[in-house]
Amino acid sequence: MTTIIKNRQAVADDFSTVTLAEGETAETVALPAGPLLVPIAVWQARKTELQSRGTPVGVWLAAGEGPEAIAGDLATLPVVGVHFPKFVDGRGYSTARLLRERYSYCGEIRALGDVLHDQLFLMARCGFDAFALKEGKDIAKAVAAFETFRNPYQAAVDQPQPLFRRRAA
Amino acid sequence: MYRYDQYDQALVDERVAQFSDQVARWKSGELTDDEFRPLRLQNGLYIQRHAPMFRIAVPYGMLASNQLRCLAQLGRQYDRGYGHFTTRHNMQFNWPAIEDVPAMLAELAKVQMHAIQTSGNCIRNITTDQFAGVAADEILDPRPLCEIMRQWSTFHPEFAFLPRKFKIAVNGAKEDRALTWFHDIGLHIVKTDDGLTGFRVIVGGGLGRTPIKGEVLREFLPWQDILTYCEAIIRVYNRYGRRDNAYKARIKILVQALGVEEFGRQVEAEWTHLKGGPATITQAEYDRVAAFFAPPAYATLPAIDEAFVQQQAESVPFARWVERNVRPHRVPGYASVTLSLKKPGTAPGDVTSDQMDAAAELADRYSFGELRVTHEQNLVLADVEQRQLFALWQEAKAAGFATPNIGLLTDMIVCPGGDFCDLANARSIPVANAVQARFDDLDYLWDIGDIELNFSGCMNSCGHHHVGNIGILGVDKGNEEWYQITVGGEQGNDAQLGKVIGPSFAAADVPDVIEKIVRFYIAQRQDDERFIDTFRRLGIDAFKVAVYGDKARLKAA
């Protein structure tokens, strides 16, 4: 059990994130019991097996992977993870927006990897609603980051109308 | 100019609070240096050779007099009594303490200024023509759309961590004065035969290590679509731009790798989903913002002021200043004045706090309280009555702003170089000053005429050396400072990259080399040919021979 931020609060979470270590293959990697987040390769290789486990299964996307690869399965996935190898690698922001705005994905989008306090506000604007904060970082303090700016300028997932349309109203 | 409402003000105030908290968490060790670095950069804060460098945004170059006074005060209180204007309209302070930066930001917020996204791998300050709104050749004042784009790019949630920095320039006149061919996105305001207004969109230009002239992505884009279209461009770049090598991470590298046709196809495919969405600019928003840039209350004046004509006839120094530093205005009886920050012997673009106060005072008394920062690192008073020019000139002279050298050899663009910057390979200011000293004879300078000399202390090209008629680039050879010379670069509608003339030179030889190039031009020019025209006629090889003599001739043979 780990603690993640979900809906702007610290909550217990029992998903295990499966990664393929050197030498492991999607077909043979051991899958722990309980809810899982698996890489695309594992999902594609063992979809039937994963769906018959009776516990929730989500897919996590690496930084270079877009939502196109799992577009057909999104309706069956309760969680999509988006991995940030380094917090300065901003590809995941586009991934989340595409999931929400292009593919109308309504499930949980969870930020994984190098996820830090000062990026939470931007991530939330792009459609992330769950955050596995980097280990050792202060979750209680980090949740304050969602309040950084009250009325940002742009249209995004959290606020589909840009300020100039709200200003006029 | 644009004035904040409660929403704009809240955003900069919240930014001050956010950054103060980040500095506190960094000091307490909660944020590591690596985690803090991109955060401070997105607030314009570098750790430099001697001290931090703090870069403040001057959006599309517009400054109100009270804002310039605030900069003057920051210079006195937190720096050493001066600041430096950059080629992207911003102001840099070279000596503040990191701990003071939150307080400086709070002072800036009081005058509607900030340092948001003046560095970092995000959308930077949007630049434009310093004569926007007053130029006779203008199609449409670009500033309202620049402001709308400024707001859109500020804290853009998707584009805060791009592969590399991202610079946009907008030009609204027939003549390009914003270096649009050498930006990540360059925009030309155009009008179609049907009377529609929009943009020609240029993408993938840039200077730096790999100088590339941008390519036209779209000949016409309706102005209402500019935000959604830019989002499509930058999303493609964010997803597919290289992140494995910082030197190959700019959008120009992606555009070159894909080819502009394929890049354009991907952008258009992305845009089909975004086009017409909520970010489409409304006429109401355009009108709201454009109202801030409405012409000031001009007096009704004769087209030519008789006393002004007389003063030029009576004073040669005044007439010279008028010829170089004063530009015609679209309103009868008015003129635009460039205050030169290129007085020989000073660091180009540097301005003392006392000078900032003096310039603010001149703006209040002569130009409706506003100034512009040019990418050539000078200041402009855009709206001066002709009948006031003589008085203004005398005051500008007293403040050290009236060197009559705009567009002449000593009006060089120069980066801070190795005296300040961590990236620099070589010093630029002392060598630039040595060149200025060589050309200190005003008659000679005038005889040379229009010429642009640009100087960068390293290949990051902050001094735009690639597009100088003469470019000087500092290079490091075995821990020694050397200088590579290019000739034939040009900004404007026919923007070109300069060509390297040959092996580089020691600092002490640079003035001689520049003089050889200039003397060759003077010997060869026909009639009123400008330097760049003579270069185009003769080509690089002739200049090589002029500089290297027989060595170059043998090589060319």
Side-chain angles (χ1 to χ4, degrees):
Chain A
M1 204 65 104
T2 55
T3 305
I4 65 165
I5 299 170
K6 208 164 160 178
N7 301 318
R8 306 189 171 196
Q9 289 172 354
V11 297
D13 178 76
D14 55 2
F15 271 83
S16 309
T17 303
V18 175
T19 53
L20 290 177
E22 187 94 18
E24 284 179 335
T25 67
E27 289 75 14
T28 58
V29 65
L31 302 176
L36 291 181
L37 269 171
V38 300
I40 289 184
V42 173
W43 172 252
Q44 285 169 342
R46 297 160 73 176
K47 199 187 291 189
T48 316
E49 177 194 344
L50 287 163
Q51 284 177 325
S52 61
R53 281 163 56 98
T55 46
V57 178
V59 171
W60 67 268
L61 303 172
E65 296 171 340
E68 293 85 356
I70 51 167
D73 295 328
L74 285 172
T76 69
L77 297 172
V79 183
V80 174
V82 177
H83 184 252
F84 289 82
K86 290 176 292 188
F87 75 95
V88 291
D89 185 333
R91 287 176 283 186
Y93 295 90
S94 290
T95 306
R97 281 196 82 165
L98 288 169
L99 279 166
R100 294 286 188 226
E101 294 174 339
R102 182 83 32 94
Y103 296 98
S104 305
Y105 179 65
C106 302
E108 176 185 314
I109 304 181
R110 183 181 299 192
L112 304 169
D114 199 14
V115 180
L116 304 172
H117 178 133
D118 293 284
Q119 284 71 53
L120 298 186
F121 177 82
L122 301 170
M123 287 177 173
R125 294 219 66 209
C126 289
F128 287 96
D129 53 1
F131 309 87
L133 208 64
K134 187 179 178 179
E135 228 174 86
K137 296 294 177 183
D138 186 337
I139 290 187
K141 216 170 199 176
V143 292
F146 295 109
E147 310 293 334
T148 306
F149 301 103
R150 282 165 296 161
N151 278 298
Y153 286 121
Q154 312 77 9
V157 174
D158 63 331
Q159 173 48 271
Q161 295 296 314
L163 180 61
F164 66 77
R165 287 178 190 269
R166 290 178 280 132
R167 227 175 203 151
Chain B
M1 62 187 274
Y2 188 74
R3 297 291 174 176
Y4 288 2
D5 67 5
Q6 76 271 23
Y7 293 105
D8 305 299
Q9 188 65 50
L11 281 161
V12 296
D13 290 343
E14 286 161 346
R15 177 60 147 193
V16 176
Q18 180 195 37
F19 190 64
S20 305
D21 177 53
Q22 288 167 345
V23 171
R25 281 186 284 121
W26 170 66
K27 296 223 83 168
S28 75
E30 286 173 72
L31 275 172
T32 66
D33 285 349
D34 282 347
E35 289 165 356
F36 182 54
R37 186 171 173 276
L39 307 179
R40 65 170 164 74
L41 287 176
Q42 297 214 1
N43 261 303
L45 184 57
Y46 288 72
I47 306 290
Q48 286 279 31
R49 189 150 292 195
H50 305 291
M53 183 273 277
F54 180 44
R55 183 185 292 151
I56 295 157
V58 181
Y60 40 91
M62 290 297 298
L63 263 181
S65 57
N66 69 317
Q67 294 176 323
L68 188 54
R69 286 196 181 92
C70 177
L71 294 173
Q73 180 53 28
L74 293 182
R76 279 193 197 96
Q77 195 173 340
Y78 299 104
D79 203 281
R80 297 186 177 178
Y82 70 99
H84 174 81
F85 283 114
T86 77
T87 52
R88 299 203 77 259
H89 301 331
N90 297 317
M91 166 153 275
Q92 292 181 178
F93 286 116
N94 279 306
W95 307 96
I98 294 180
E99 293 73 13
D100 287 336
V101 170
M104 295 173 83
L105 283 175
E107 289 302 312
L108 289 166
K110 288 182 198 162
V111 294
Q112 310 190 351
M113 294 186 84
H114 57 75
I116 296 163
Q117 291 164 219
T118 53
S119 181
N121 295 335
C122 51
I123 304 170
R124 303 286 192 89
N125 189 24
I126 293 164
T127 53
T128 192
D129 172 11
Q130 66 265 33
F131 298 111
V134 298
D137 65 340
E138 191 162 88
I139 298 157
L140 182 76
D141 186 344
R143 294 171 300 169
L145 288 160
C146 286
E147 173 57 28
I148 290 169
M149 294 183 77
R150 179 194 76 80
Q151 297 190 14
W152 159 79
S153 64
T154 299
F155 311 135
H156 196 293
E158 187 179 345
F159 304 137
F161 296 99
L162 296 169
R164 199 74 181 80
K165 59 188 167 183
F166 202 91
K167 298 177 180 177
I168 300 174
V170 187
N171 195 65
K174 288 183 183 137
E175 174 69 22
D176 179 14
R177 287 181 287 267
L179 208 70
T180 50
W181 289 100
F182 292 98
H183 276 75
D184 296 285
I185 292 178
L187 299 172
H188 295 165
I189 294 178
V190 290
K191 277 203 164 112
T192 66
D193 294 340
D194 309 330
L196 296 174
T197 303
F199 294 103
R200 178 184 299 118
V201 182
I202 296 156
V203 72
L207 298 171
R209 196 171 289 255
T210 314
I212 294 174
K213 188 172 177 179
E215 299 189 68
V216 176
L217 191 61
R218 210 170 211 277
E219 278 294 346
F220 183 79
L221 179 81
W223 62 267
Q224 296 91 337
D225 294 322
I226 190 62
L227 304 184
T228 57
Y229 196 74
C230 283
E231 289 198 338
I233 293 173
I234 303 175
R235 181 173 287 170
V236 170
Y237 169 56
N238 189 40
R239 295 188 72 191
Y240 304 114
R242 284 182 64 173
R243 291 175 185 268
D244 59 324
N245 180 344
Y247 298 136
K248 298 193 183 299
R250 293 288 287 270
I251 194 174
K252 61 192 172 188
I253 304 294
L254 179 66
V255 173
Q256 292 298 310
L258 293 174
V260 73
E261 286 80 20
E262 171 57 19
F263 180 78
R265 193 195 60 72
Q266 295 188 16
V267 169
E268 293 289 326
E270 188 60 41
W271 190 48
T272 56
H273 298 282
L274 304 173
K275 186 180 179 181
T280 307
I281 304 168
T282 59
Q283 186 68 46
E285 173 65 358
Y286 180 82
D287 292 344
R288 180 186 80 87
V289 176
F292 288 101
F293 299 96
Y298 291 119
T300 306
L301 298 169
I304 305 290
D305 183 78
E306 292 302 331
F308 169 56
V309 175
Q310 186 68 25
Q311 285 152 352
Q312 290 176 79
E314 285 168 2
S315 166
V316 172
F318 178 62
R320 282 194 154 172
W321 178 77
V322 169
E323 192 179 331
R324 292 314 315 188
N325 298 33
V326 176
R327 247 179 89 90
H329 194 285
R330 66 161 78 138
V331 174
Y334 280 82
S336 298
V337 171
T338 301
L339 300 177
S340 174
L341 302 182
K342 309 295 174 62
K343 189 178 172 182
T346 62
D350 271 15
V351 57
T352 66
S353 287
D354 289 348
Q355 282 185 307
M356 289 187 242
D357 279 339
E361 179 71 15
L362 294 178
D364 279 340
R365 297 223 320 280
Y366 295 105
S367 194
F368 299 98
E370 292 181 0
L371 307 99
R372 292 102 183 278
V373 184
T374 79
H375 81 264
E376 290 97 351
Q377 303 172 288
N378 293 306
L379 287 170
V380 164
L381 297 173
D383 300 290
V384 182
E385 294 179 11
Q386 283 177 15
R387 62 185 179 187
Q388 306 261 34
L389 284 168
F390 192 78
L392 167 60
W393 170 63
Q394 289 177 310
E395 292 190 52
K397 235 179 3 173
F401 289 135
T403 311
N405 64 348
I406 300 306
L408 300 180
L409 192 140
T410 52
D411 179 20
M412 349 174 143
I413 295 177
V414 184
C415 74
D419 292 303
F420 297 98
C421 180
D422 255 356
L423 301 171
N425 291 322
R427 286 167 302 155
S428 49
I429 295 167
V431 181
N433 286 156
V435 174
Q436 284 179 327
R438 180 65 61 93
F439 292 90
D440 69 339
D441 182 284
L442 207 53
D443 292 319
Y444 185 34
L445 203 59
W446 273 58
D447 182 39
I448 299 164
D450 286 331
I451 188 167
E452 290 176 357
L453 194 158
N454 296 356
F455 196 149
S456 305
C458 75
M459 58 182 78
N460 289 303
S461 314
C462 297
H464 294 177
H465 65 277
H466 296 294
V467 290
N469 299 161
I470 298 176
I472 306 176
L473 165 66
V475 291
D476 174 65
K477 287 206 295 194
N479 277 333
E480 281 177 40
E481 297 174 315
W482 288 77
Y483 297 86
Q484 186 183 74
I485 312 285
T486 51
V487 186
E490 198 177 357
Q491 58 171 327
N493 293 4
D494 303 316
Q496 297 291 337
L497 294 167
K499 295 186 168 76
V500 176
I501 197 162
S504 51
F505 300 93
D509 295 331
V510 171
D512 286 342
V513 176
I514 304 300
E515 189 162 6
K516 275 185 191 169
I517 293 170
V518 168
R519 285 197 185 283
F520 179 69
Y521 151 67
I522 288 175
Q524 297 295 321
R525 74 177 158 195
Q526 298 175 349
D527 306 320
D528 295 337
E529 243 181 8
R530 296 172 306 157
F531 178 89
I532 191 68
D533 301 322
T534 303
F535 174 84
R536 281 189 194 149
R537 183 167 54 77
L538 298 177
I540 186 73
D541 287 340
F543 282 84
K544 281 184 182 175
V545 172
V547 170
Y548 297 96
D550 285 340
K551 266 189 283 180
R553 203 171 279 122
L554 288 172
K555 245 188 179 171

